[in-house]
Amino acid sequence: MGRSSKDKRDIYYRLAKEEGWRARSAFKLLQLDEEFNLFKGVRRAVDLCAAPGSWSQVLSRKLRGEEQEKEQEKEQEKEQAKIVAVDLQAMAPLPGVTQIQGDITKTSTAQEIIKHFEGQPADLVVCDGAPDVTGLHDVDEYIQAQLLLAALNITTHVLKYGGTFVAKIFRGKDVTLLYSQLRIFFGEVTCAKPRSSRNSSIEAFVVCQRYAPPEGYVPNMSNPLLDHCYDVDFNQLEGPNRVIVPFLACGDLSAFDSDRTYPLQLDPSKEYKYTPPTQPPIRPPYEQACRLRKSNLLANENSPSLPLDEGFSSLHLSANQDADVRPPAGTAEDGGKLDDK
Amino acid sequence: MESVLIVTPVTALEFLGEDYLLAGDGPVLSVYNLKTSPTTSALLSVLQNFRIHGIRPHQQQGDKAEHTSVAKKEEEEPQGLSWQQRAHLVVFGGKAVRLVELKMGELPSLQPLGPLIQLRDWVLDVHWLDVRGDLLGVTLAHNATLLLDVQKGSTLALCSCEDGCLLYSALLVGPCWKSLVVVGGTIFNQLVLWRPGEGTEKEGGRNMVGRVERRLLGHSGVIFSLAYLPKPGWLASASDDRSVRVWDVGALGGEAGCGAPSPTCLRVLYGHQARVFSVKLSSAGAFSAGEDGVCLAWDWDSGKVTRALRGHRAGGVRALAVSLGGAGGGGYVATGGTDGGIRLWSLKEEDSGLEDAGVLRDLGFEGVGCPKVVRVTGGRGLRQRGVVITTDQGEVYSWEEQRGWQLLWKGGAGFCSYNVMEVLEWWSGDEMCAVGSLSGEVWLFPLSQPSAGIRLKAGTGKIHSVLWVHPTGGRGGYLLASGAEGVVYRWQIDTELVGGAVVLNTEPLGPFILPPCAKRWLTTAVLISRPEGALWVCGDRRGSLLLYRDKAEEAKADGALQPMSVLFGVHGKQGVTCVCEHAGLIYSTGRDGCVRVSRLDASALEVLRVQRACRGMEWLERIMVLDPEVNPVEGEHGERHAGEVRLILGFHSVYFVVWDLVRQERLLSVPCGGGHRSWSYWLPQSPGADGAGTVVFVKHGAVMASRAPEETFHQQGGWELKEGIHGRGVTCVCHLGAVRVARQHWEILATGGEDTTLTVLTIDPRSRALRVLALITDHISSIRALAVVRRPGAREANDTKPLLSVLLFSAGGRAQLQCYRLLIGANGQLGLPSCQVIQVASHRLDEQWERRRNRHKTVKMDPETRYMSLAVVSDGTEGVLLAAACSDGALRLFSLTETSGRFQLLWETFYHQRCVLSVATYLLKDPQGCQRLFLFSAATDGVIAVWDTNTVRNLENGPSSDTCWKDPPSPCLTFPAHQSGVNTLAVWEGHWDDQGLSQAGGHWMTVASGGDDGQLSAVCIQVQFHSKEVEGSGLTLNLYARSVEPLAHSAPLTALIPLGPRLLISASPDQRISLWDRRGSSLRHQGVLFSHVADIAGLTAWQGEERQTWVAVCGQGLQLLRLEAEGDGK
C-alpha cells in the first residue's frame, strides 16, 4: 500500500488535495448548500470548531467570492459578508475570515462574535466539530451530542430569529433524543447526508432552519444544555413515539461517489500525479509518543521510560506554543488524519 | 424477543477481594468465582439501555461496619447467610446507576436491589460515602457532583464545578460528602481538583458552585482514566497522548482537602504504541492498558516496564482491574478487551525472575572442542531433564543440572568437524542416541550405556541427517539416515536386556529414494499405521512432501522404495522442517512460514489448508500438538483448548518463538540470534514449572538455555475467563447450521471482521456458552461479506461423515475472495463441536499485479476494489455461481467448482458506475420448467437493477463453461428505491394480499430494500413470460404495489432478512431490531428490540428446533436473540 492508495479509496480526499481544500469535509458543506441554499442572503456567518478550516474556506469562497483582487478593487467592506471562525486551536489564516481562539461554552466567546458583527446577530451558524473519539460508540455518541448541544447553546446567543444552524451528528442509538431537542428551537429540522460523506459512516448533518426559540427562553451559558432522556417507562426506547426527522441526501448524483474506489487515472488525457495534503494535522496528541517511538525511546521490559528532567525536555513540546502551527516533521500518522478534522 | 447471548467490549472490571471478579459487558453484570474449578459465574442484565462503565463494591471498612452489616442482614433474613457471603455493588454507566446484591459462594448469584436510577447527565464515577451503604457521590460528565441516596433514588445535594467543561474521566476520593475530592480529566487535557462539599451558592442560591483548587497541566490529549493510591499519595492519569503521568498530589480527601498545594509530575510513562485507556495503581506498581492491546506493569522506582501482558486481539484493552493481593503478596490483574474477552494474570513470583524473563542462561560447556549439535533429554518423562551435545572433536557430552557436563562417547576422527545427531526417548526409560558422520558411518548407543553402542553403515558419503521415528503404541523405533544421492537408509531398532546390559537388535529395511534435486536429503518423517500397511510421510530439504509405503516383500529383498506420491517443493526451496499427525490429518511446517494441513488418502497426499502461522515469521521449525493426556496443560483454573493447542516453534528475526496457532499469540520469545543453529526444546512439563517450555541452543560455541520464567502456562497468555471474538467491528455474520454433540445442541456461526479474520464459532443456547472453533487469517484486508452453501461436498460420502459440511465464501477489501469447505465434527474429548477447514479456492482481481517483480517501483493504477456484498446461487450441479457487489462500480459473477479449486470470473458489468453496495439473487421456474435466475443489484444512488441472467448466458455452450457468458446487456428493470445507498436487499416469492394483484396473473416476486436514508421499502414485481416467438429475453417485468416506511430506523438500515412466510427483520446502527409483518397489503411494524451491539452491520436469522426462531446481529460485538415462536414478537 503506497501513499497513493488512499487516493484510490477516497476520491474526495484526492479532490480536496487537488482543489486546495484543507479537508475533504469542504465538499460536504458545498453539497449541503446545493440542497438547502444555505448561503443565500447570508451576511454574517459563524464557523464553530473551525480548525483546520475547510468549512471556513467554503464560507469564504462562497460568501465573498473567489477572487481577492475583485474584492480589493471594490473596496466595499460593508458589502462584504462577515465570517467568524471559532476554535480552541489556532489555524492558518484565511482571507476574509476573522479567527477567534476561544471556548464555545464561554459567554465571552459569544460576546466577541457579536462584537465582530457590530452587534448584529448571525444569519448562519455551522459546526463540523467532532470530539476525540474513544472507539466506544455510546461514549462517542454522547460526547458528540454534547458538542452539538454546546454549539446549539452558543448559537442561541448569536443566531437571528429565522436563522439557520448546521451541525454534524452521529446517527447512533440516541439520535432521536437530539432531534426532539432541536425541534424545540427550530421550525424545521432535517437530517441531511451529503454524497461526499461515506455511506458506511454514521456521520450525518442536521440542518436546522427557521430559528424560533420557545417563548421566554433566555440564552444561558452558565449551565450546560443537557440532552433529553427517554421517558421513565422507556416507552420511547423501543416504542413508536421516537422522533425521527426527515432524511435528505444532498449533492448531485453525477458527482463523484465517496464509496466508490476509482482508478488513479481518472481522465485519460491527464496523467495522475500525487498531490501532498494541503495541510497536515496541527500537533496531534500522539506527536510526542510518535517521536519517542521513532527514536526507539518508548519504555519496554529492557529500557525505562525517559526520566522527566534529562533528555525529555529537549524533546518535549511545551503546551504553550500555541502560535506555532508549523507542521510536525512528517510523522507516519500524518497522512491519515486529513480525512476529517 | 429475548437476548440469549451478547459479546460486546468489556467496559468494566473490578475485583472483590481475591476470590471474585466482577465484569461489565454491555448491560450485563457478570461475577466469576475465581476459587472454584472450573470457574463458576453468574450474570444479570442491570442497566437497561446503558452499557456498564463501572462497578463499585461497598467496602466494609473496620469492625464497626461489619457489625452493622451483620445486624441488618440478620433482621431481614434470620436463617439467611452471614454477612460475609453478601456484598452490595453499585453499577453505573451512561446516565444510570443501580444497586445490586451479590451472594457469594460456590455458585455466586446476583440480584438487583431496587429499580434503575436514571440521572440527567452521564455518570463518570461513583463513590460510596458511608458505611451503611446508602449514600453515593456521583460525578457527572459536565463536571458536577451529586450526593445520591441510593436506597431512595433521590438526590440530596448537587454541586457544579466553576469549570463546567466536559470531562472524559473523573475520580472521587474521600470518606464523606463534606470532604470529598473530585479529580476531573477535562476535554482540554487538564486535571482539575475540587471539592463539591465546599461549594458556594451562586445565582441567588439556585446553584452550588465549587472552586477549582488544583489544576494539573501536561497532557497533550484528553484524559481517559484516573487512579489514586493513598499511600504515598500519588495520582495517575492515562491519556489520548499515549502517556501515563504520575503526580505527587499527597493526601486527598478528609482533613487533607485537595492535598499538596502545588503537585508535581513525578513521571511521564511512555510505553504504549497507542492510546492508553485505563490506569490502575497498587502497592505493586502502576498498571496501564490501552488500544495496543497490551497491559504494561510499571516499576515505581525505575520507571521501567516490568511486564507486558499481551492477550487481546486488535482493538485493545478497555477495562483493567488489579486485586490487592492476599497475605502472601501476589494478586491478580484482569484485562477486558474490545474483543469481549476477559483474561486474568497472576502477579505471584513477581519479584523473582519476571524482570529478566528474556535473560539467557549459559550452561557453561566444559568439554573439549566446540558444540555442534544440541538435543534435550528427559523431555516428557519423569526423568531428570538434561542436554546432550556433539562437538567438532567427534565427542558426545551430556549435561544435567546436578551432575554437570560428562563425556559420554568418543567417535574418533571420522566424526570430527562434521557430525549429525538425534536422540529418541526409549520405551525402557532410557534415551537412544544416533550420530552420523561425513563418511556414511552411523553410531547408535543408549545414553545410559554408551559402551553398548553399535556401528551401522549408510553408504559411503556424507550423512546429511539422522532421524528417529517412533511407532505410535509400539516399542523400539526406526532410524533413518539420509546419505548421499538421495538414499535414505532405514533400520528397525529394538533392545533387550541381557544380564543387565543393553543389547541392540537392528534389522535393515529397504531404503527410500528421494526425488532428484540439488539438496537431496530428508529432514523429517512420520510413520502412520493404516490397516493396509504402514505409511511414511516425509519432508525433504527441497520442500517436498513425500509418501512411502512399506512393502513387506520388497523390504525383504532389500529393494529401494520410490515415493508413491510427491508434492514437489510445496514448502518452498528452504525445505520442510516438520511433519506430524493429529486426528487423522497431517500437519507440516516449513521455512516458507506456512503450516500445511493435508489429508492422506490411500495413495496420495492432498493439501487441504495452508496457514501462515504468524505474520513476519518466515522460518517455522516445528508444530506440536499438546495432547491433554500427555501434557495436562489445564491449570487449576480448568478448561482450555485441550488437544487443540498447536504450538509452532520457529525463528522470527533473531528470536526463537513459541507461537500458539489457535489463539494467535506469542508464548515465548528468546533472543537466540536467529535460525541456522542447532536447537532443541523442552515442552512445558507441568503447569507449575516452566510455562512456555525451554529452548536450548548453540550460540558462539556456547550452549545456552532460555531461563524459564517462573510462571505457569496459562499466565503466559493470561488465563482466559471469557473468550473474545473480533477485536474490531464484526461486519458480517452467517448461520452455518446446528449440530448435536454430547447430547447438546450447538448452533454454528461464521463471522467476518474488520480485523481481517474469519471466525467459525459455536453457541450453546442453553448454557449461553460461546466457543471459537476455527480462526482463519487468510484475508489481507477487512472482510465484508459472507455467503454459505449448505451442501456436503462430493467426496465426503467416502470419508467419515462429518456432522455438518458447508461451503463458505468470504469476500472483502483488496478484491479478495476466499472459499472454504468446513467440516463440523465432534471433539470427543471435550464434548464440543470441532471444525476442520479446507481451503478450496482463493481469488484476487489484482493477482497479476501482485506477481509483478518491479511493483514497488511503479504506481498501481487500478482501483483498490472492495467487495461489498455476496450472493450465492447453487445451481444444483457441482458448480456454484457467485455474485459480488464491487466498490469499483462493477457487478461481477464468478463460478467455482469445488474439484477444480478455482474461481472463474464469468461476467462483469459497470452499469451502476457507482459503488455497488448490495446484491441478491432469485430463482424462478418459467412455464417451460426452466430455471430463470434473476440478479438484483443496488448502488449508492439508491437505484435497484434487476438482471435476467438468461440474457447474458449463452446456454448452447453449457451452463458453467466460461465462454458462454456474453457481454453485459442492460438490466431488464431498474427502479429508484432510496435517496442514497441501498445497503441491503431481500427477495421472496409472491406479492401482497391484494385482490388486484392476484387477478393480474403471472409470477410474482417482492423485493425489499433498506437504505442509508433509514427507509424500508418493498415493491412487487410481476414476471410475465412470453412464448418463444417474441424476440428478446422472452419475459417482461412490471412494477406493482409499493410499500414504503420512510422512517423505519433513525439511522441507516444496514441489514434486512425475510424469515418464514410472514416476517421481515431489519436492523440498524440506531441499535434497534425491528420486526415487520409482510403479509397484508403493505409492511406492518410488529415490534422492536433495543440491542447493545453498536454499529450493527449484519444480521442473520433462522428457524431452529421447537419452532424457535433465532436472530443474530453483529457490529461492535455479537448478539443472539430468540423469538419465542412463530407469531411472537409483539
Side-chain angles (χ1 to χ4, degrees), chain B residues 826-906:
Chain B
N827 186 332
Q829 284 169 324
L830 299 175
L832 282 175
S834 68
C835 175
Q836 185 190 330
V837 179
I838 301 173
Q839 285 160 326
V840 176
S842 165
H843 184 271
R844 281 183 62 186
L845 284 179
D846 54 1
E847 252 154 343
Q848 295 294 331
W849 164 264
E850 289 294 320
R851 274 200 281 271
R852 270 167 67 177
R853 277 169 191 263
N854 63 341
R855 65 178 192 271
H856 58 283
K857 288 183 193 153
T858 53
V859 177
K860 182 180 168 191
M861 302 305 281
D862 312 358
E864 302 276 8
T865 304
R866 300 183 291 263
Y867 290 133
M868 309 301 288
S869 166
L870 277 183
V872 75
V873 189
S874 166
D875 54 8
T877 58
E878 164 90 356
V880 173
L881 216 54
L882 194 68
C886 312
S887 72
D888 60 354
L891 172 66
R892 292 186 169 90
L893 264 178
F894 295 90
S895 77
L896 173 99
T897 46
E898 207 174 341
T899 42
S900 76
R902 272 185 58 223
F903 280 110
Q904 205 145 34
L905 177 61
L906 297 177

Side-chain angles (χ1 to χ4, degrees), chain B residues 620-810:
Chain B
L620 306 185
E621 280 283 345
R622 190 167 298 171
I623 183 161
M624 304 182 101
V625 178
L626 288 191
D627 187 334
E629 276 149 40
V630 179
N631 294 82
V633 288
E634 306 161 55
E636 53 180 309
H637 299 309
E639 44 188 341
R640 284 181 47 85
H641 297 273
E644 281 212 307
V645 177
R646 298 196 186 92
L647 301 185
I648 299 282
L649 314 184
F651 296 99
H652 195 166
S653 77
V654 297
Y655 294 94
F656 177 86
V657 170
V658 179
W659 177 262
D660 185 324
L661 193 58
V662 175
R663 297 190 352 182
Q664 291 283 309
E665 60 192 45
R666 183 172 305 195
L667 300 179
L668 178 72
S669 176
V670 177
C672 69
H676 298 294
R677 66 189 63 244
S678 180
W679 63 274
S680 194
Y681 175 75
W682 276 307
L683 270 173
Q685 203 166 27
S686 63
D690 49 349
T694 308
V695 61
V696 181
F697 57 92
V698 177
K699 185 180 187 181
H700 299 310
V703 181
M704 313 284 277
S706 65
R707 183 135 136 195
E710 308 285 315
E711 301 177 39
T712 63
F713 188 83
H714 55 249
Q715 280 158 358
Q716 275 291 338
W719 158 29
E720 197 170 45
L721 273 181
K722 181 166 174 274
E723 197 161 16
I725 44 169
H726 291 274
R728 281 188 262 158
V730 187
T731 49
C732 42
V733 60
C734 172
H735 180 243
L736 304 181
V739 295
R740 269 191 176 277
V741 174
R743 285 194 220 130
Q744 283 288 356
H745 167 89
W746 298 88
E747 297 288 347
I748 314 283
L749 296 165
T751 54
E754 284 168 18
D755 60 359
T756 76
T757 63
L758 179 59
T759 306
V760 183
L761 50 89
T762 184
I763 296 172
D764 171 12
R766 221 154 274 166
S767 70
R768 304 181 178 211
L770 179 146
R771 287 307 191 95
V772 173
L773 297 180
L775 196 64
I776 301 168
T777 53
D778 296 330
H779 275 273
I780 53 169
S781 183
S782 167
I783 299 175
R784 288 169 178 273
L786 293 173
V788 65
V789 177
R790 293 178 192 85
R791 188 180 60 180
R795 310 189 35 166
E796 276 136 41
N798 315 329
D799 292 352
T800 45
K801 217 169 178 226
L803 297 170
L804 177 71
S805 171
V806 298
L807 207 56
L808 181 70
F809 295 91
S810 60

